Amino acid sequence: MAKITFITPDNESVTLEAEQGSVMELAVSNNIAGIDGDCGGVCSCATCHVHVAPEDVAKVGAASEIEQDMLELDDNANEYSRLCCQIEISEQLDGVTLTVAG
Amino acid sequence: MSDDLNQTCVIIGASHAGVNAAFALRKEGWSGPIVLIDGDSNLPYHRPPLSKAYLTSDDDISSHLLKPAVSYQQHNIELKLGVVVERLDATTKQLSLSGGEQLGYDKLILATGARAFVPPISGLNSAKHVFTLRNAEDVNRIRDAYNQLAAQNRCRVAVIGGGYIGLETAASLRKMAADVTVIERESRILARVTTAQMSEFFTELHQQHGVNIATDKQVEAIQPGPHGDIVRCSDRSEIAADLIIIGVGVRVNTVLAEQAGIQLNNGIEVNQYGQTSNPEIYAIGDCSYHHNPHYDRKIRLESVQNAVDQAKVAAAHLCGKAKVYDAIPWFWSDQYDVKLQMVGLSDDHDEAIKRQEPEPNKFSVWYFKQDQLVAVDAVNHAKAYVLGTKLIKTQQALNKANIVDASVELNLANLTS
Ligand SMILES: Cc1cc2nc3c(=O)[nH]c(=O)nc-3n(C[C@H](O)[C@H](O)[C@H](O)COP(=O)(O)OP(=O)(O)OC[C@H]3O[C@@H](n4cnc5c(N)ncnc54)[C@H](O)[C@@H]3O)c2cc1C
Ligand code: FES
C-alpha cells in the first residue's frame, strides 16, 4: 500500500492510496485535474506529466530514455519531470508528492 | 451567451471524441444538461489497447476505462449506454432512441465514429470463426474463440487486411502462439497509410516473428475445409484458418447525419470549429471530414489525437470561444517491442530521408515537401518524433546532412544549423 499526494493545477492537495497499477491510472480514476492519460498509458501522448517533489526523486526513480524524450514535448518539463503512466505503484512510493504539470 | 450555456447538449457516441467533448464542455463552462449516448453498453473505454494489450490479456474492459464511472456523476454528465440513436430529426431537434424514448436537444454533437467494414466475400456468413475488431465485444469474442480453438491445437489465424489494426492484431496473436497469416490485397502492407520504406520494415519485422505476410492477394471466398475454413484468393492460393479476422478498414457512421440533411463528403463535413452544415450540429473524431490549416487540405483522420483535439475545439466553440482546429496530426502503433510514432502527414512528400541509429530497429524517416518538413515516422525513437513535432510547427529550414548522419547527435541545434 502506498499513499501518494497529488498537487493539482488549482493547488489542491489530494492524497490517494493504492497497491498496484500505474500512477496515471490512479490519478485518472480519481479525477485528478490535469492528468488526461489520452494514450491509455503507453508513453505516447505526454498528457500525464508530473513534477516529483525534489526530496522524493530517489524513491520515484528516473525516467527511461523514451520517457525523457517524450517529456521534451512539454516546455514545462524539468529535471523533476515524469510521465506518471510510467511510474508503477509499489510500497516504495509511499509518501511521495507529485505536482501535476498540465 | 450565458443563456446558451444552459441549453441541452446531446452527444451521440461515447468514445474518445464524445467523452472528451462532454468533459471539455464542463471545463469551458457549459452549465446545461449534457447527455452522452452510446449503443455500446460498456462504460466508455480506450480503443487502442483492443488490438494490443487487451487482446493478449484476460482483463475486463473495465481496466481500460476512459474515465471512472464516478467522474460522469461528478461532472453531471448523463450517460445513456446500450442505447442506439435510431433517428435524428433536425427540424424538430428530436432524437428517437432504441427503446422508444424521444429526446430533444438544443445542440448536438455527432461523435459516431466508424464501424469495421465487412467486404462482400462469398461464404463469409457461413464461415465458423470470423470476426471484425472494433469494439470490446469483438475482442472478447476473439479471445474466447481463440482460447477454445487453441485448446484443441487449432491455432491458425488469417488476418485479412495489413493495416495498423491488422498488423497489431497479428503481433498480439503471435504473442499468444498463434500461427498467423496476414493477407493483403495491395503489393505491400500498410499501402494506404504509409510509405514503402515503412512497409518494408514492418514486413520484415513480422516475418522475423514468424508471421506469414501474403501480399497481392484479393480474398475471393471462404469455404469450409476439413479442419476449419479455407480462405481462397484470386491468385488461386488457399490459406487454411481456424480463425479469421477482418481488418480491411472502416465505414464512417453517417446515417444520422444523412437523416438530418447535413453535408457529407468522405465523412461528415465540418468547419474549423467542428460545426457541420447545420450550425446546431457538430461532428468530431473519426466521422469528421475537416480542413487542416497546416497542410491546407481536407482530411479525415482515425486517431485518438484527432478525436481528443476536435472534441476540445467543438466544446470551446459551443461555449462561445473561437478556438480553431489546427493540430498537427500524430499517431502511434505498438507491435512486438517496436513503437512507431508518427507526426504530420507524409502522403504528398517529395523527398524522404532515413536516419538509422546504430541500434537495430531504431530509425526515423523524415518527409519533406519542397524542402519543408511535413512528417516524421519514428521507430523506437521518441526523440526523432518529438523533434519532428517541433520542427513541423516552426517550419525552419533543416540541415538534411545532419539528419542522415547518425554520428551527429539528434538535437534542435544540429538539425537547424
Ligand atoms: C483496434 C484499434 C486500435 C487502434 N489503435 C490506435 C492507436 O494505436 N493510436 C491511435 O491514435 N488511434 C488508434 N485507433 C483509432 C482510435 O481508436 C479512433 O480514432 C478513436 O476511437 C476515434 O474516436 P471516436 O470517438 O471518433 O469514434 P469511435 O471510437 O468509433 O466511437 C464512436 C462511438 O459512437 C457510437 N455510435 C455510433 N453511432 C451511434 C448511434 N446511432 N447511437 C449510439 N451510439 C452510436 C459507437 O458505438 C461508438 O462507441 C485504434 C482503433 C482501433 C479500432
Ligand atoms: S498516458 Fe500517454 S504518455 Fe502517459
Side-chain angles (χ1 to χ4, degrees):
Chain A
M1 183 70 79
K3 269 196 179 128
I4 298 172
T5 301
F6 294 90
I7 313 283
T8 70
D10 301 331
N11 249 334
E12 218 185 307
S13 164
V14 184
T15 300
L16 300 170
E17 279 185 22
E19 271 175 44
Q20 57 183 26
S22 78
V23 172
M24 181 279 287
E25 286 164 342
L26 176 68
V28 168
S29 59
N30 288 280
N31 259 319
I32 300 293
I35 302 290
D36 294 339
D38 286 342
C39 75
V42 296
C43 207
S44 296
C45 69
T47 63
C48 61
H49 181 185
V50 295
H51 293 295
V52 180
E55 62 275 19
D56 295 329
V57 164
K59 275 191 190 172
V60 177
S64 67
E65 186 188 336
I66 156 167
E67 186 186 336
Q68 275 176 29
D69 290 337
M70 286 300 289
L71 278 163
E72 281 177 33
L73 275 179
D74 194 338
D75 295 334
N76 202 5
N78 64 22
E79 62 200 289
Y80 304 114
S81 288
R82 290 291 313 262
L83 293 175
C84 68
C85 68
Q86 303 300 305
I87 309 175
E88 273 302 305
I89 295 174
S90 72
E91 277 181 18
Q92 203 190 318
L93 285 191
D94 192 39
V96 303
T97 299
L98 307 171
T99 302
V100 176
Chain B
M1 192 41 60
S2 57
D3 282 355
D4 280 1
L5 297 179
N6 285 320
Q7 294 183 331
T8 297
C9 182
V10 175
I11 305 171
I12 308 175
S15 180
H16 289 271
V19 168
N20 276 286
F23 285 87
L25 276 169
R26 285 287 179 242
K27 202 170 169 188
E28 298 284 359
W30 190 270
S31 52
I34 297 176
V35 187
L36 186 52
I37 308 175
D38 202 300
D40 196 321
S41 46
N42 293 296
L43 269 175
Y45 50 85
H46 285 273
R47 237 174 255 284
L50 294 180
S51 47
K52 310 179 185 84
Y54 185 66
L55 178 53
T56 57
S57 73
D58 51 14
D59 288 352
D60 189 85
I61 197 62
S62 60
S63 50
H64 296 274
L65 297 184
L66 288 171
K67 303 272 181 187
V70 50
S71 289
Y72 298 92
Q73 289 156 21
Q74 283 167 348
H75 291 83
N76 202 4
I77 295 163
E78 186 188 346
L79 267 179
K80 284 185 184 291
L81 298 176
V83 175
V84 175
V85 179
E86 289 172 344
R87 258 207 97 68
L88 159 55
D89 185 333
T91 332
T92 57
K93 298 172 98 173
Q94 287 284 321
L95 304 172
S96 310
L97 310 186
S98 56
E101 194 189 334
Q102 293 286 312
L103 179 69
Y105 65 84
D106 297 305
K107 296 286 194 285
L108 183 68
I109 302 180
L110 297 173
T112 48
R115 61 188 181 278
F117 173 57
V118 181
I121 296 173
S122 133
L124 196 67
N125 292 335
S126 49
K128 283 177 222 95
H129 300 291
V130 181
F131 304 92
T132 52
L133 201 168
R134 180 77 197 177
N135 55 43
E137 211 31 60
D138 291 337
V139 183
N140 294 342
R141 286 202 298 261
I142 293 171
R143 295 194 309 198
D144 287 351
Y146 180 74
N147 289 335
Q148 272 183 24
L149 289 164
Q152 307 160 38
N153 261 324
R154 296 174 54 198
C155 304
R156 296 163 308 173
V157 179
V159 177
I160 304 179
Y164 289 115
I165 293 176
L167 293 179
E168 288 176 353
T169 305
S172 297
L173 287 163
R174 263 318 277 157
K175 203 168 164 187
M176 297 157 80
D179 178 0
V180 185
T181 301
V182 174
I183 306 172
E184 169 59 51
R185 183 182 60 184
E186 307 294 328
S187 59
R188 60 181 175 96
I189 54 173
L190 300 172
R192 251 182 350 113
V193 289
T194 191
T195 55
Q197 285 186 69
M198 298 305 291
S199 296
E200 204 177 303
F201 170 78
F202 279 101
T203 301
E204 278 169 23
L205 178 72
H206 280 272
Q207 287 169 341
Q208 281 159 11
H209 282 87
V211 170
N212 175 23
I213 302 279
T215 54
D216 284 315
K217 285 195 194 302
Q218 169 98 34
V219 173
E220 275 193 338
I222 296 174
Q223 293 169 335
H227 315 282
D229 289 309
I230 307 283
V231 181
R232 235 192 46 222
C233 305
S234 49
D235 62 356
R236 297 178 163 265
S237 59
E238 293 184 341
I239 293 153
D242 301 304
L243 191 142
I244 299 169
I245 292 176
I246 301 187
V248 298
V250 298
R251 286 292 177 270
V252 182
N253 291 321
T254 53
V255 179
L256 298 174
E258 278 164 47
Q259 292 169 359
I262 288 171
Q263 183 149 344
L264 301 179
N265 187 358
N266 179 23
I268 305 172
E269 186 142 22
V270 297
N271 67 13
Q272 67 270 44
Y273 309 118
Q275 229 169 358
T276 67
S277 59
N278 179 331
E280 319 269 39
I281 304 179
Y282 292 68
I284 57 176
D286 279 17
C287 69
S288 91
Y289 184 62
H290 59 274
H291 180 254
N292 186 299
H294 194 86
Y295 295 90
D296 194 21
R297 63 191 143 105
K298 290 207 145 181
I299 50 175
R300 197 178 64 74
L301 294 172
E302 292 165 19
S303 72
V304 167
Q305 167 275 320
N306 178 62
V308 172
D309 288 344
Q310 284 195 320
K312 290 176 181 164
V313 167
H317 194 252
L318 279 161
C319 294
K321 296 170 193 165
K323 185 169 169 174
V324 301
Y325 187 61
D326 64 355
I328 293 173
W330 56 264
F331 185 79
W332 78 93
S333 174
D334 295 324
Q335 298 168 42
Y336 310 105
D337 51 354
V338 165
K339 181 171 207 72
L340 168 67
Q341 292 176 282
M342 289 168 279
V343 58
L345 300 176
S346 63
D347 46 348
D348 68 344
H349 70 279
D350 52 30
E351 185 184 6
I353 51 184
K354 182 174 175 181
R355 177 185 169 104
Q356 175 68 52
E357 304 300 327
E359 302 91 329
N361 287 1
K362 183 171 177 182
F363 68 92
S364 49
V365 182
W366 299 65
Y367 301 97
F368 293 84
K369 185 185 176 190
Q370 291 165 354
D371 280 336
Q372 284 286 314
L373 184 67
V374 288
V376 174
D377 287 344
V379 168
N380 290 331
H381 203 184
K383 176 162 269 156
Y385 166 80
V386 168
L387 285 168
T389 304
K390 292 184 173 170
L391 291 166
I392 293 170
K393 268 184 206 141
T394 57
Q395 303 205 345
Q396 275 155 284
L398 298 189
N399 182 329
K400 292 180 188 165
N402 281 353
I403 295 181
V404 182
D405 186 350
S407 67
V408 176
E409 196 194 328
L410 200 60
N411 60 35
L412 265 187
N414 289 338
L415 292 188
T416 53
S417 66

